[in-house]
């Protein structure tokens, strides 16, 4: 269930009702860390942010597993 597919091999794939995988070279550890920080800050306010479940890489491919937020 592909949510988004961009040039350069970056894809966002929905793997369950509330989880997506962002995969490709553009999914970076830096982005994962930033999303984790943002989630910790936003969890106490009304604005919703994506919770990062996991980040890992395999050779050239990287994977960022995050909570799916509709909209």
């Amino acid at each position: 269930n592909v949510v988004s597919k961009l040039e350069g091999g970056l894809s966002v794939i929905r793997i369950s009702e509330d989880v997506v995988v962002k995969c490709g070279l553009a999914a970076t550890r830096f982005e994962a860390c930033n999303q984790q920080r943002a989630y910790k800050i936003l969890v106490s306010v009304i604005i919703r942010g994506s919770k990062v479940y996991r980040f890992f890489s395999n050779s050239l491919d990287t994977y960022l597993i995050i909570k799916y937020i509709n909209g």
Side-chain angles (χ1 to χ4, degrees):
N1 200 358
V2 177
V3 175
S4 175
K5 188 165 187 157
L6 304 172
E7 290 183 33
L10 179 65
S11 296
V12 178
I13 302 166
R14 194 168 178 179
I15 59 172
S16 74
E17 190 170 316
D18 61 347
V19 178
V20 295
V21 178
K22 185 175 184 179
C23 51
L25 293 174
T28 65
R29 184 172 302 280
F30 181 73
E31 178 184 5
C33 290
N34 282 337
Q35 284 196 25
Q36 285 176 326
R37 283 187 209 113
Y39 179 80
K40 287 178 184 177
I41 292 168
L42 297 175
V43 75
S44 63
V45 295
I46 296 172
I47 301 168
R48 295 185 308 168
S50 291
K51 181 177 182 179
V52 175
Y53 294 116
R54 181 163 300 206
F55 174 84
F56 60 95
S57 61
N58 179 5
S59 299
L60 294 176
D61 293 321
T62 57
Y63 304 88
L64 176 57
I65 315 298
I66 56 177
K67 181 173 179 69
Y68 175 74
I69 297 177
N70 191 13

